[in-house]
């Protein structure tokens, strides 16, 4: 069961869901924790877990914490896993509130190079890197995902530096590569080059 929350604290040029960036929009619907639990209940025969995505899930971390607490406290839902799909741009105080009721975090790293990260997202990657280290220490960092964009963050040097840094945090870290495609992106990235099969072979050869 996936719950998409409105609002993101990055402004990524390559965002595939730019309509989810603003916190307030008439296209979004408000739900209480009880209402979400009712929807989860209807899906119980078909699901094994709940993932909160976005936008950026941690922008509404209080809601996520309350939802996950309710799931963990309930005999009815206790078998469900609780995951967060995140850009990692959340302070440690937020993760400290979420971690006791979160089974795993799938976290995006847009670029290890800070200036390139600022160019792509509008924000520094310092908080993201701290989140990776903190969640890894807690044992709840399920994977780090790299959205690779030809000509922007996919040079051999950048990939090698990224792999070395991530493996330095955890030699067994799970790293997933997401290939950039233009479908659904905002106007600024519509003419960017898409990842080819040859690109993917190169990425995998370096990262692995």
């Amino acid at each position: 069961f996936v719950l998409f929350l409105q609002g993101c604290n990055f402004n990524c040029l390559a965002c595939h869901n730019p309509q989810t960036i603003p916190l307030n929009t008439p296209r979004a619907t408000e739900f209480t924790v009880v209402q979400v639990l009712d929807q989860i209940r209807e899906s119980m025969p078909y699901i094994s877990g709940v993932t909160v995505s976005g936008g950026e899930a941690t922008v509404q971390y209080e809601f996520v914490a309350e939802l996950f607490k309710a799931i963990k406290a309930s005999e009815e839902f206790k078998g469900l896993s609780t995951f967060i799909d995140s850009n990692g741009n959340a302070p440690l105080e937020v993760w400290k509130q979420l971690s006791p009721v979160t089974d795993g975090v799938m976290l995006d790293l847009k670029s290890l190079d800070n200036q390139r990260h600022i160019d792509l997202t509008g924000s520094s990657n310092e908080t993201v890197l701290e989140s990776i280290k903190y969640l890894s220490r807690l044992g709840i960092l399920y994977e780090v995902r790299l959205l690779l964009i030809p000509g922007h963050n996919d040079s051999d040097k950048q990939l090698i530096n990224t792999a070395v840094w991530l493996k330095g945090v955890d030699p067994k870290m799970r790293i997933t590569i997401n290939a950039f495609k233009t479908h659904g992106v905002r106007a600024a990235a519509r003419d960017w080059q898409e990842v080819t099969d040859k690109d993917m072979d190169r990425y995998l050869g370096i990262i692995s």
Side-chain angles (χ1 to χ4, degrees), residues 7 21 43 57 93 113 129 140 147 158 160-161 164 189 191 194:
I21 293 175
S43 303
E93 290 74 18
D113 179 86
L129 300 182
I140 61 171
L147 174 62
Q158 289 184 77
I160 291 170
N161 289 343
V164 169
D191 294 328
E194 294 187 338

Side-chain angles (χ1 to χ4, degrees), residues 34-98:
V34 171
Q35 289 173 321
V36 173
L37 291 175
D38 286 341
Q39 292 197 13
I40 293 173
R41 184 176 291 108
E42 294 177 3
S43 303
M44 282 296 286
Y46 314 103
I47 64 174
S48 60
V50 175
T51 296
V52 180
S53 184
E56 169 51 35
T58 61
V59 168
Q60 300 189 50
Y61 71 91
E62 299 98 333
F63 178 86
V64 179
E66 289 305 312
L67 174 64
F68 283 3
K69 286 176 184 176
I71 291 172
K72 295 301 185 183
S74 168
E75 190 70 23
E76 179 182 9
F77 301 120
K78 70 175 185 178
L80 296 178
S81 62
T82 52
F83 272 68
I84 294 174
D85 178 357
S86 175
N87 64 21
N89 192 33
L92 299 190
E93 290 74 18
V94 168
W95 292 121
K96 288 177 181 177
Q97 295 188 50
L98 291 170

Side-chain angles (χ1 to χ4, degrees), residues 164-175:
V164 169
W165 190 87
L166 291 173
K167 294 297 184 179
V169 174
D170 178 5
K172 298 181 179 179
M173 182 173 294
R174 179 188 176 106
I175 304 172

